[in-house]
Amino acid sequence: MATFVKPENALKRAEELVNVGQKQAALQALHDLITSKRYKAWQKTLERIMFKYVELCVDMRKGRFAKDGLIQYRITCQQVNVSSLEEVIKYFMQLATEKAEQARTQAQALEEALDVEDLEVDKRPEDLMLSYVSGEKGKDRSDRELVTPWFKFLWETYRTVLEILRNNSKLESLYAMTAHRAFQFCKQYKRTTEFRRLCEIIRNHLANLNKYKDQRDRPDLTAPESLQLYLDTRIEQLKIATDLELWQEAFRSVEDIHGLMNLVKKSPKTPLMVVYYAKLTDVFWVSHSHLYHAYAWFKLFTLQKSYNKNLSQKDLQLIASSVLLAALSVTPYDQKHGASHLELENEKERNLRMASLINFTLDPKGESREMLSRSSLLSELNNKGVMTCVSQEVKDIYNILEHEFFPLDLASRVQPLLAKIAKLGGKPSSASSVPEVQLSKYVPALEKLTTLRVLQQVSRVYQSITIGTLSKMIPFFDFSLVEKLSVDAAKYNFLSMKVDHLKGAVLFGNVNVESDVLTDHLAVLADSLNKARNLIYLPMKKQSKLGEKHGLAETVDKEHKRLLARKSIIEKRKEEHERQMLEMEREEESKRLKLQKVTEEAEQKRLAEEYTRRQEQRIRREIEERELQEAQALLFETQKGAKKKGKKPLLDGEKVTKQTLIELALSEQLKERQELEKKLQKLGKTMDYMERAKREEEAQLIEQAFQQHLVEEKIFHENEQLKAIELSRQHHAGDLQEKNRLARMMDDKVIFQQRIVNCRETEYNRLKKEREDTINQLIALRKHERETKRKMLFYLKSEEERLTRLREEEEARKHEEEERRKKEEAERKAKLDAIAERQRQREREAEEKERLRRDALLRRPTEALSRSIDPASGPHTADPVPVAAAAAAPTSGKYVPRFRRERNEGQTAAPPEPDRWGRQDDRAPQSGDRWRNDEQRPSYGGSRTSSASSSSWSSSRPRVCPV
């Protein structure tokens, strides 16, 4: 961020950067200067800097930079020179408008260039893809790229200016001018979306203005000038909304104008009210609210008649005719007949709201639908003298439709009058604010009213009539449309009729059993029979639940009154509660605002003191610098003036003081000022003499010209009257000839009409039969479809139940198998555990027996030696006894009796012991003195001899040497 000692340096730097093509750098430098806190005091240089700044913003389309700069400049010059801000904003809008117009003139296809729904939306993705895919851009896309960005920037300019000026009482006129220019922009280029946004922006500004009433420099709406500006803006908004056919926005604008009028409790000027009611008639006509449309026309007529002194008789007659025709266009029956209580309450609120917009005072507690109605409007038109001003054709239509009784030729009497009315209309010359009046737009509504009057009057004369005769009596519509109108009228209890297409007749009166007259007769008959029965059979005295002296009607009336009283009490309580809550909120808000105000005042006081201190320092510093510069400038100018006038120049600067220079300069300036004032006084006297002489000479010429103009105008008026009379005579003669020419076609027309009716009746019967056949086929088809669907649902349900049952059975079977498997596994495991336990028990017993046997063998070694060794014998030989004993000893743990073991001790070889199966072991002990082979085991529990091992038992015993 660059810093500059003086603002002029920043301006010079920006111009240098612009000259070398660096506009962005120049804009940034000026933006830094404007937003800097160093230059907060306004001076003329800042205005020139702002002009250059907005030029750069417009050239580069930097709307955000422009908004920031204008906000900072508003803070700077708000209290010092607000006119400078006005000039800058005007220059800013002028540049933006010129750029947009320049781009518009360069574009050759404006409609395609502006075919954008919303100016605030960027380019669509499909447009970007098309621009990249296509090799060459079309003319419409080039126009869009050229024109649309500048119109976007212009729209953003209007929004920025309105946002800056929205709560500035010193620039209200500029705010109104900007709003008007934005409205014209939307109207000129058909920008409906932007117009809605603009209306919402202005509406929010006014709402915030009423919400925050303690703002500084806030516009005062109670002031006549401010109110007039705001009303002018809303009236212009209403005009543009109707021109763009944005009727919803137009109605909102009407509500805004009405809110402003209620806010200040003061009626605006008559021209504004005329425009207000004129646009209100258009809004109500488009919304098909014919009753409110007629009331708006009535108010417009009253205003024009009371305040427009220049209103001609012709224009007054045209406006009065519009009022009466608008009143006659209202439907002659109440469309809320038979509606619910809620609908009636809503209609009551709607009537009150519309009456307030039209400035009609209604009683909110009364029946507003009775006060604001067609009959009351027509009575007011009679009382206020509207009937005396309308044209003769309109008056004849009113008398025929409202007062006369012509059931057979009512339509034929009205039809030529409607043809004449359709030709009337035009723009009132003496009422510029009133829109162009076209009486032809009321013709369709008057034709419908005529149809209803014909049906109403015929129903009083006839009980039945043929469709053909009725169609001839109503030449405006086909019978289908007449039937539609009669249905609506019968719905709201205006007519009572029935159309019998089979007989080709229309029946009037209450033709059904449920009619009101028959119901009344049956009720009277029931009452009479009940009285006769009471005279014959005396009723038993019984206390009624509703009381003896009060009937059902009185009870219902009392209950209704009680409910209404309860409703009023509840509403009063609600209002009281809401009022209390509102007061509490107001108290809290006031407390908060007071606290906030105290805090803000303290902060503002501190900031003001700080600002004052800095200002004093700055002013003191600037005064010193300025005094030094002024002394030098005065020294230079004094020396220069002295040389120019031939006077003796002053002394050198070292010998002249500052005070001396100032006094000399002031004296010279005073002399020059006095001389200039004398010259101006002399010049003023000369101009006064010339102007007075000129006016005295031209006064006579002006009077002569005026008299001559009056004579010319009188001659022109007489000629125009003669021409109008002659033209009217020619038109009358031509109309008579046309009538005589067309009278010959009446019979042909009737024959053609009868032929058309017969053809359509035949076509209707054929279509009716085809429709009945189609309906019967559809009924049979749908019955078959329902039967098929029912069977299919039953089959699906049965199949689902079967599958569910199978699934449950399968799960039960699996569960049982799992339980059985677990049980078998447990039993098998128990058996294996028992077998293993028995096996371990046998092994323990066998080991114990083996241990005992070995102990026994170890206790008898001496006895064996004494028997086996002979002293006279030769060398020692192996003793076979232990081998035999060992061979005879069971190795598998089988018990061997003692006598058997003793008997086998002396034998050298023992026969094999038969096993438990009765077989004898053919395995003989091998030669040698080995005791047993540990690797061989008996297989079947029988006693076996072990194979000879490499080591002998005898060798393992101690040897006894002979003595």
Side-chain angles (χ1 to χ4, degrees):
M1 175 178 173
T3 57
F4 301 95
V5 178
K6 295 181 181 180
E8 294 86 348
N9 299 338
L11 183 59
K12 293 179 181 179
R13 178 60 178 167
E15 291 176 351
E16 292 174 357
L17 291 173
V18 170
N19 292 332
V20 297
Q22 297 182 7
K23 291 185 178 181
Q24 182 64 37
L27 179 63
Q28 188 64 42
L30 294 180
H31 183 267
D32 294 340
L33 176 71
I34 294 169
T35 57
S36 175
K37 296 182 179 180
R38 185 174 182 180
Y39 307 102
K40 288 300 180 182
W42 182 86
Q43 45 186 321
K44 190 65 177 178
T45 308
L46 286 179
E47 183 177 346
R48 292 190 283 111
I49 290 174
M50 283 301 301
F51 284 148
K52 189 65 178 178
Y53 180 76
V54 296
E55 285 181 7
L56 293 174
C57 290
V58 172
D59 289 339
M60 303 175 65
R61 293 201 296 267
K62 297 290 186 180
R64 179 62 62 182
F65 275 83
K67 184 176 182 180
D68 293 343
L70 289 174
I71 290 175
Q72 293 295 328
Y73 191 64
R74 180 189 64 181
I75 296 172
T76 302
C77 63
Q78 177 69 34
Q79 304 299 329
V80 180
N81 189 4
V82 74
S83 60
S84 176
L85 176 62
E86 182 177 0
E87 294 297 328
V88 172
I89 290 177
K90 287 182 179 179
Y91 186 64
F92 177 46
M93 289 194 295
Q94 178 186 354
L95 290 177
T97 306
E98 289 176 356
K99 288 290 184 180
E101 289 296 330
Q102 183 180 358
R104 177 174 170 269
T105 54
Q106 292 177 1
Q108 297 180 0
L110 179 61
E111 286 79 10
E112 289 145 8
L114 295 178
D115 189 13
V116 181
E117 289 297 330
D118 193 347
L119 291 178
E120 295 185 0
V121 179
D122 294 330
K123 288 186 178 180
R124 296 177 297 176
E126 53 267 30
D127 294 335
L128 293 175
M129 293 178 63
L130 181 62
S131 63
Y132 288 121
V133 171
S134 60
E136 55 181 4
K137 298 183 179 180
K139 190 175 183 302
D140 54 345
R141 264 184 288 142
S142 63
D143 291 339
R144 184 186 300 272
E145 292 178 358
L146 178 64
V147 176
T148 304
W150 282 111
F151 276 86
K152 284 184 179 181
F153 181 75
L154 181 58
W155 166 246
E156 187 178 356
T157 300
Y158 288 138
R159 290 190 59 176
T160 300
V161 174
L162 290 175
E163 185 67 24
I164 292 172
L165 303 176
R166 61 188 175 89
N167 55 357
N168 198 326
S169 59
K170 299 179 181 179
L171 296 175
E172 288 178 341
S173 58
L174 183 59
Y175 179 86
M177 185 196 72
T178 306
H180 284 230
R181 293 179 65 174
F183 288 145
Q184 293 299 325
F185 166 78
C186 297
K187 177 184 176 181
Q188 184 179 0
Y189 303 110
K190 308 297 182 185
R191 306 310 308 176
T192 57
T193 304
E194 285 73 21
F195 180 76
R196 292 192 186 94
R197 287 204 184 108
L198 181 61
C199 295
E200 193 64 29
I201 289 170
I202 296 176
R203 196 173 292 117
N204 291 335
H205 289 174
L206 182 60
N208 293 331
L209 200 64
N210 294 327
K211 185 177 181 181
Y212 305 105
K213 296 184 179 181
D214 55 347
Q215 291 181 346
R216 189 178 64 178
D217 299 326
R218 171 185 173 273
D220 187 11
L221 294 179
T222 58
E225 296 81 6
S226 300
L227 178 62
Q228 188 65 31
L229 287 174
Y230 275 89
L231 282 176
D232 290 341
T233 303
R234 295 307 187 280
I235 292 294
E236 184 70 18
Q237 175 181 330
L238 179 58
K239 290 180 181 178
I240 302 301
T242 53
D243 292 341
L244 295 177
E245 296 183 355
L246 299 175
W247 303 111
Q248 187 174 6
E249 200 62 45
F251 186 75
R252 290 181 181 175
S253 302
V254 168
E255 289 183 331
D256 293 342
I257 296 171
H258 184 260
L260 276 174
M261 291 190 292
N262 290 337
L263 186 64
V264 297
K265 303 297 182 183
K266 185 179 179 180
S267 179
K269 296 181 180 180
T270 304
L272 291 182
M273 295 304 298
V274 170
V275 176
Y276 173 77
Y277 285 117
K279 297 303 179 181
L280 203 58
T281 56
D282 296 338
V283 173
F284 285 143
W285 181 257
V286 171
S287 63
H288 301 288
S289 301
H290 294 169
L291 178 61
Y292 307 130
H293 170 77
Y295 270 101
W297 261 116
F298 180 51
K299 292 293 291 185
L300 185 59
F301 169 79
T302 306
L303 283 175
Q304 287 293 330
K305 186 177 180 181
S306 302
Y307 297 101
N308 193 353
K309 304 302 181 183
N310 300 324
L311 187 65
S312 63
Q313 186 64 29
K314 182 180 178 180
D315 295 340
L316 182 63
Q317 184 179 3
L318 188 61
I319 297 174
S321 301
S322 298
V323 175
L324 184 56
L325 291 179
L328 291 175
S329 300
V330 181
T331 307
Y333 48 81
D334 186 8
Q335 295 185 355
K336 292 298 178 182
H337 177 75
S340 62
H341 178 70
L342 181 60
E343 292 177 351
L344 292 177
E345 289 295 327
N346 293 335
E347 182 66 16
K348 180 179 177 181
E349 294 178 0
R350 184 169 179 265
N351 281 341
L352 289 174
R353 182 183 177 190
M354 295 303 170
S356 65
L357 290 180
I358 310 173
N359 283 341
F360 267 84
T361 305
L362 295 179
D363 184 11
K365 296 183 180 179
E367 292 291 336
S368 62
R369 62 189 178 93
E370 294 296 334
M371 299 179 65
L372 200 66
S373 61
R374 184 176 184 270
S375 58
S376 62
L377 177 59
L378 290 176
S379 63
E380 280 204 35
L381 295 183
N382 287 319
N383 297 332
K384 295 298 178 66
V386 179
M387 296 299 181
T388 60
C389 301
V390 299
S391 61
Q392 187 61 36
E393 294 85 358
V394 177
K395 190 181 296 185
D396 293 342
I397 287 179
Y398 170 73
N399 292 328
I400 292 173
L401 293 178
E402 297 297 327
H403 300 295
E404 302 293 340
F405 187 78
F406 301 107
L408 297 179
D409 57 348
L410 178 65
S412 61
R413 290 173 180 267
V414 172
Q415 190 172 12
L417 296 175
L418 293 180
K420 292 181 180 179
I421 288 174
K423 299 177 181 179
L424 299 178
K427 174 71 176 175
S429 58
S430 58
S432 59
S433 301
V434 179
E436 184 177 0
V437 180
Q438 294 294 338
L439 300 184
S440 58
K441 67 180 180 180
Y442 299 111
V443 172
L446 294 176
E447 290 177 350
K448 292 181 181 179
L449 177 63
T450 305
T451 304
L452 293 175
R453 291 301 184 195
V454 169
L455 293 174
Q456 186 184 29
Q457 295 181 9
V458 168
S459 66
R460 296 176 183 175
V461 179
Y462 298 100
Q463 280 190 346
S464 64
I465 190 172
T466 61
I467 295 177
T469 305
L470 188 61
S471 299
K472 292 179 182 179
M473 295 169 62
I474 305 174
F476 307 118
F477 307 111
D478 294 335
F479 186 73
S480 59
L481 295 177
V482 175
E483 187 176 3
K484 183 178 179 182
L485 292 175
S486 62
V487 168
D488 292 337
K491 177 181 178 182
Y492 298 113
N493 203 22
F494 183 72
L495 291 174
S496 179
M497 58 180 291
K498 178 182 178 181
V499 181
D500 192 346
H501 287 282
L502 294 178
K503 297 180 180 179
V506 178
L507 307 178
F508 296 103
N510 298 310
V511 295
N512 51 357
V513 181
E514 291 81 4
S515 63
D516 295 337
V517 178
L518 290 180
T519 303
D520 294 339
H521 283 298
L522 291 176
V524 171
L525 178 62
D527 292 338
S528 301
L529 291 176
N530 193 15
K531 290 178 182 179
R533 179 180 176 279
N534 291 333
L535 291 175
I536 297 173
Y537 303 101
L538 295 177
M540 297 177 62
K541 293 183 179 181
K542 185 178 179 181
Q543 183 67 27
S544 176
K545 294 182 179 179
L546 299 177
E548 296 179 353
K549 297 182 180 180
H550 301 284
L552 181 60
E554 294 177 355
T555 306
V556 171
D557 191 18
K558 286 184 178 181
E559 185 68 18
H560 181 64
K561 290 180 180 179
R562 187 183 65 81
L563 291 176
L564 289 178
R566 183 172 178 271
K567 181 181 178 182
S568 63
I569 292 172
I570 291 173
E571 290 178 351
K572 288 180 181 178
R573 289 179 179 175
K574 286 183 178 179
E575 292 175 357
E576 183 65 22
H577 180 67
E578 291 176 355
R579 186 182 62 79
Q580 292 178 359
M581 295 298 294
L582 185 60
E583 288 179 356
M584 292 175 61
E585 290 178 358
R586 286 178 178 173
E587 291 176 359
E588 293 177 357
E589 184 69 16
S590 62
K591 291 180 181 178
R592 186 184 64 79
L593 290 175
K594 286 180 181 179
L595 181 60
Q596 183 180 359
K597 188 174 181 180
V598 171
T599 307
E600 289 178 354
E601 288 177 353
E603 182 67 19
Q604 289 178 0
K605 185 177 180 181
R606 185 187 65 80
L607 293 175
E609 292 176 354
E610 182 69 20
Y611 179 77
T612 305
R613 184 178 60 80
R614 292 182 179 178
Q615 287 292 100
E616 291 175 353
Q617 294 178 359
R618 183 183 58 79
I619 291 171
R620 193 179 300 112
R621 188 168 54 252
E622 289 178 356
I623 288 173
E624 293 176 356
E625 295 176 357
R626 194 179 297 113
E627 287 178 353
L628 180 59
Q629 293 176 0
E630 288 175 355
Q632 295 176 356
L634 285 173
L635 178 61
F636 177 78
E637 290 177 359
T638 305
Q639 292 178 354
K640 184 177 179 181
K643 292 179 181 179
K644 185 181 296 184
K645 294 180 180 180
K647 296 181 180 180
K648 184 179 179 180
L650 298 175
L651 300 176
D652 297 335
E654 295 81 13
K655 299 179 182 179
V656 179
T657 62
K658 173 186 172 183
Q659 189 64 28
T660 306
L661 291 174
I662 292 174
E663 291 177 356
L664 289 174
L666 290 176
S667 62
E668 290 293 332
Q669 292 176 1
L670 182 59
K671 291 179 181 179
E672 293 177 359
R673 193 179 299 114
Q674 290 175 355
E675 293 176 359
L676 182 62
E677 287 178 356
K678 290 179 181 179
K679 292 180 181 179
L680 289 176
Q681 288 177 359
K682 185 177 180 180
L683 180 63
K685 289 181 180 180
T686 305
M687 292 180 67
D688 289 341
Y689 294 150
M690 291 295 294
E691 185 67 23
R692 188 181 299 109
K694 185 178 69 173
R695 291 189 180 184
E696 288 175 356
E697 291 295 329
E698 70 182 4
Q700 299 177 359
L701 298 176
I702 291 174
E703 181 65 25
Q704 294 175 3
F706 177 72
Q707 295 297 332
Q708 184 180 358
H709 183 69
L710 286 179
V711 173
E712 293 175 356
E713 287 291 331
K714 184 177 180 180
I715 296 171
F716 178 75
H717 178 68
E718 291 175 355
N719 294 332
E720 289 296 323
Q721 279 190 339
L722 293 175
K723 289 181 182 178
I725 292 171
E726 184 64 26
L727 184 63
S728 178
R729 289 175 181 173
Q730 294 177 2
H731 285 175
H732 181 69
D735 291 342
L736 291 177
Q737 293 177 2
E738 185 70 16
K739 180 181 178 182
N740 295 330
R741 188 179 66 84
L742 296 177
R744 297 174 298 170
M745 305 179 186
M746 183 59 66
D747 296 337
D748 297 335
K749 176 251 182 186
V750 172
I751 295 171
F752 177 74
Q753 183 177 0
Q754 186 64 32
R755 189 187 308 131
I756 293 297
V757 170
N758 294 333
C759 292
R760 290 185 179 176
E761 185 176 0
T762 305
E763 182 69 16
Y764 171 76
N765 295 329
R766 184 182 62 79
L767 293 175
K768 183 178 179 181
K769 184 178 179 182
E770 291 180 357
R771 181 173 177 272
E772 291 177 353
D773 295 341
T774 305
I775 290 173
N776 293 331
Q777 292 177 4
L778 288 175
I779 290 172
L781 180 61
R782 290 176 181 175
K783 184 176 180 181
H784 178 69
E785 289 178 354
R786 287 196 301 271
E787 186 68 22
T788 305
K789 185 177 180 181
R790 184 182 61 79
K791 291 181 179 180
M792 180 60 67
L793 291 175
F794 176 77
Y795 171 73
L796 292 175
K797 185 177 180 181
S798 303
E799 186 67 18
E800 185 177 358
E801 291 178 354
R802 187 182 65 80
L803 293 176
T804 305
R805 187 170 59 256
L806 290 176
R807 188 164 53 251
E808 291 177 353
E809 292 176 357
E810 182 68 19
E811 291 178 356
R813 186 183 60 78
K814 290 182 179 180
H815 182 69
E816 291 177 358
E817 289 181 357
E818 184 69 19
E819 292 292 332
R820 183 175 56 77
R821 187 181 62 78
K822 289 182 180 180
K823 186 175 180 182
E824 291 178 356
E825 184 69 23
E827 292 177 355
R828 186 176 66 82
K829 186 175 181 182
K831 288 180 180 180
L832 291 176
D833 292 341
I835 292 172
E837 184 64 28
R838 287 197 300 271
Q839 182 68 24
R840 286 193 296 271
Q841 184 65 26
R842 284 195 299 269
E843 289 177 356
R844 284 196 299 271
E845 291 178 356
E847 290 177 356
E848 184 67 22
K849 289 180 179 180
E850 181 66 22
R851 185 179 62 78
L852 294 175
R853 187 182 65 80
R854 288 181 180 178
D855 291 341
L857 291 176
L858 290 174
R859 283 196 301 269
R860 293 179 297 179
T862 308
E863 296 178 358
L865 287 174
S866 61
R867 283 195 305 268
S868 60
I869 298 174
D870 189 5
S873 62
H876 176 72
T877 59
D879 191 0
V881 177
V883 176
T891 61
S892 62
K894 186 178 179 180
Y895 175 71
V896 179
R898 185 175 181 181
F899 71 91
R900 188 182 294 272
R901 290 199 305 271
E902 290 179 353
R903 188 177 54 185
N904 291 334
E905 286 179 357
Q907 298 178 1
T908 56
E913 182 182 3
D915 57 5
R916 65 180 65 180
W917 308 106
R919 294 179 303 169
Q920 290 185 356
D921 194 1
D922 55 351
R923 291 177 295 178
Q926 296 178 359
S927 60
D929 54 352
R930 290 176 297 177
W931 173 250
R932 79 185 281 194
N933 187 7
D934 294 333
E935 294 179 358
Q936 295 180 355
R937 303 289 183 186
S939 59
Y940 296 102
S943 60
R944 305 176 184 86
T945 57
S946 301
S947 300
S949 61
S950 59
S951 60
S952 63
W953 178 79
S954 58
S955 61
S956 62
R957 293 182 298 169
R959 294 177 179 270
V960 180
C961 295
V963 179

